[in-house]
Amino acid sequence: MKIMMTVAAAVLLGLPALNSNAQTVSVPEGTLIRQAPSREYTEALRRFAVYRASKQSGIKNEANLPFVKERGEKSPRSILLVHGLTDSPYYMTALADIFYARGYNVVSVLLRGHGTKPEDLHRVYLKNWRDDVKLGLDIARELGDEVSIAGFSTGGALALDAVADNFAGRGDAARFGDMYLFSPAIEVSIPADKVKMVKAGCIAPDLTRTFVQEWARPPYKTESDPARYSNMSINGLCQLLTLTERNRLNHGRIMTALKGHGVFTVQSMADQTVSAPAVANFMSGLPAGDHVL
């Protein structure tokens, strides 16, 4: 994962330059002109601070907390970064630096049940993750005139869900920019020997929790990684499967929202969890526009 994200970050160095409508003003050399942040901008940062504080309890370390990289004023573009299942915002920091250097204000979220201990994934629901993404998107709207979204794996699936919910045929104060997908969970492959276990856990999670193996990848591994989980909760997989089905049903709305926008996608053919053919089919079915696979 670290290698993939590093390569993806390098590719993103080719992002197009921002369009600017700012007028040229003659000022003394070295003078910095900056408007005072708007009330909406300041309130958005206050909301983010409250959100970040709400994630402190039980956190592994500070690097797992959601972060914002902002310039002190609304920028032409902002972007929301969404991490993957069992991961944390730490894995999005390299992308954040690149987008910030390109003039974006950057917002990240920490999905419920992440950044603490794997057991916290046992009792989360897709709605919790969608709420995290919705809050992050609301904050990003106030930090940029045009809002893009970037997601890794489950974060990619949540990004597609968010664009369908917020930018498909409805008016919006902030326009949608572009979509950046890194191994997006369009379709998930479950090992054959784990299918029955996962199905049982998804059908009746509360009843089966004490009777079936909690982890989809036994035996239980020592949790030594400071920024992600080494173990996978069956419930976490169930929520992801619910999300992929939701996106399948909302395919038309997703395509409507993406029409005319850039979609940047990175996918490894060696990925044993995310279906590479499903990602390729998704990209080939996009409306005509500036797409890169």
Side-chain angles (χ1 to χ4, degrees):
M1 181 189 318
K2 293 180 181 178
I3 294 176
M4 176 182 291
M5 294 302 289
T6 301
V7 172
V11 173
L12 282 174
L13 288 172
L15 286 172
L18 295 175
N19 293 323
S20 175
N21 296 320
Q23 296 181 352
T24 302
V25 181
S26 297
V27 296
E29 185 176 353
T31 300
L32 177 64
I33 295 180
R34 175 171 291 174
Q35 295 181 349
S38 66
R39 179 179 61 82
E40 292 79 10
Y41 187 96
T42 302
E43 173 62 17
L45 293 182
R46 186 197 68 79
R47 288 182 64 196
F48 181 84
V50 171
Y51 171 72
R52 189 176 192 275
S54 74
K55 299 289 187 176
Q56 285 276 1
S57 179
I59 201 74
K60 276 188 175 185
N61 57 68
E62 293 292 306
N64 290 347
L65 288 170
F67 60 84
V68 61
K69 293 176 69 70
E70 51 91 19
R71 333 185 80 76
E73 60 184 355
K74 195 169 189 177
S75 58
R77 294 181 180 182
S78 63
I79 188 164
L80 172 66
L81 307 180
V82 189
H83 66 81
L85 184 60
T86 76
D87 289 349
S88 70
Y90 170 81
Y91 283 96
M92 308 302 283
T93 54
L95 291 176
D97 290 341
I98 291 170
F99 280 110
Y100 185 75
R102 290 284 172 175
Y104 289 72
N105 280 329
V106 183
V107 180
S108 73
V109 291
L110 174 61
L111 301 177
R112 185 80 61 87
H114 291 77
T116 50
K117 59 184 183 297
E119 290 83 357
D120 289 337
L121 278 174
H122 291 346
R123 291 172 177 81
V124 299
Y125 298 94
L126 175 57
K127 181 183 183 303
N128 302 139
W129 295 346
R130 297 182 74 237
D131 286 346
D132 284 319
V133 173
K134 179 64 166 61
L135 184 141
L137 189 57
D138 287 345
I139 291 172
R141 282 191 179 103
E142 300 301 335
L143 302 189
D145 296 320
E146 182 181 275
V147 182
S148 295
I149 312 177
F152 174 62
S153 193
T154 296
L158 285 166
L160 293 174
D161 173 65
V163 80
D165 242 22
N166 294 275
F167 299 101
R170 65 173 65 179
D172 198 285
R175 296 180 297 111
F176 174 59
D178 299 313
M179 180 70 75
Y180 298 88
L181 302 172
F182 302 89
S183 294
I186 306 295
E187 185 178 307
V188 179
S189 300
I190 299 174
D193 61 334
K194 305 296 189 296
V195 171
K196 289 184 179 180
M197 181 193 305
V198 172
K199 283 185 175 179
C202 292
I203 292 172
D206 292 327
L207 293 177
T208 59
R209 185 168 282 115
T210 58
F211 301 108
V212 301
Q213 181 91 27
E214 288 280 7
W215 305 110
R217 297 194 185 108
Y220 185 88
K221 301 176 183 177
T222 301
E223 289 293 330
S224 58
D225 193 311
R228 72 183 305 271
Y229 300 152
S230 299
N231 295 279
M232 175 71 75
S233 165
I234 288 179
N235 180 64
L237 276 177
C238 292
Q239 303 311 310
L240 173 55
L241 293 173
T242 300
L243 173 60
T244 58
E245 176 62 12
R246 177 185 177 88
N247 283 345
R248 188 186 69 80
L249 295 174
N250 282 334
H251 182 77
R253 290 179 59 80
I254 292 172
M255 290 300 172
T256 296
L258 294 179
K259 186 176 182 180
H261 299 276
V263 181
F264 176 93
T265 305
V266 174
Q267 176 62 45
S268 169
M269 294 300 293
D271 195 323
Q272 297 182 353
T273 302
V274 173
S275 169
V279 174
N281 289 338
F282 172 81
M283 290 297 292
S284 65
L286 286 168
D290 183 18
H291 305 125
V292 180
L293 176 59

